[in-house]
Amino acid sequence: MIPKIIQGGNFSDHRGTISFVNDFSFKDIERFYVISNSEENPIRAWQGHKLDSKNFYCLSGSFNIHFIKIDNWENPSKDLTIETVLVSESESRIVHIPSGYANAIESLEANSKLISFSTLPLVNVKEDDVRYPFDYWKING
């Protein structure tokens, strides 16, 4: 499976705006988190998942979602290609990152909030979560 964008939309009228992603299924979702990076540390990096798939939706502000396909969990290549998707509150879309990837979340504005939907039950997280140093891969920007 490869990362993908699940496009949604917005509807506005005199009552306000509704944002939606109707093609996203909650069937395999086990839990969710709301992420707000600090202004002092706007990048949360690098966290890999052998089993868990992540789905990111921007609630406010904007983020760059960076991700890398891991080639070797114990000693990944430092030359792996970083892919990046921009998400913002004005766009209604979900970035799906399947298992086998590491990700980094970069806030682009103060007070940005991102929701992360995870597919792995909490009891299995310890065997799945792989952390790499913040500077293991260089994020351009």
Side-chain angles (χ1 to χ4, degrees):
M1 186 174 253
I2 61 170
K4 65 181 177 179
I5 295 173
I6 305 166
Q7 192 62 51
N10 298 303
F11 173 78
S12 297
D13 64 14
H14 67 282
R15 298 168 291 177
T17 300
I18 295 174
S19 299
F20 55 88
V21 184
N22 291 338
D23 291 332
F24 179 68
S25 172
F26 284 88
K27 184 176 102 167
D28 296 322
I29 301 303
E30 291 284 336
R31 56 201 164 82
F32 75 91
Y33 299 96
V34 175
I35 300 166
S36 299
N37 292 341
S38 68
E39 288 185 48
E40 297 80 28
N41 296 297
I43 300 176
R44 184 181 300 260
W46 286 95
Q47 184 172 353
H49 300 283
K50 297 176 184 177
L51 306 170
D52 197 4
S53 293
K54 296 292 184 184
N55 299 278
F56 297 108
Y57 182 85
C58 184
L59 296 171
S60 62
S62 59
F63 290 84
N64 275 331
I65 308 297
H66 307 281
F67 49 94
I68 295 174
K69 175 73 171 153
I70 299 298
D71 60 347
N72 178 317
W73 289 102
E74 288 73 39
N75 187 26
S77 170
K78 296 223 179 198
D79 297 326
L80 298 175
T81 302
I82 299 173
E83 297 183 65
T84 302
V85 174
L86 171 69
V87 293
S88 70
E89 66 182 290
S90 64
E91 300 175 306
S92 187
R93 62 185 185 171
I94 290 176
V95 177
H96 170 78
I97 301 176
S99 58
Y101 284 77
N103 65 67
I105 299 162
E106 178 183 11
S107 303
L108 301 176
E109 301 173 46
N111 302 314
S112 293
K113 290 189 186 298
L114 187 74
I115 191 165
S116 172
F117 299 103
S118 298
T119 60
L120 194 67
L122 194 56
V123 297
N124 301 106
V125 167
K126 200 173 225 179
E127 65 196 55
D128 175 62
D129 193 34
V130 180
R131 306 275 173 136
Y132 300 102
F134 173 85
D135 58 353
Y136 198 87
W137 295 282
K138 174 98 171 92
I139 297 171
N140 297 326

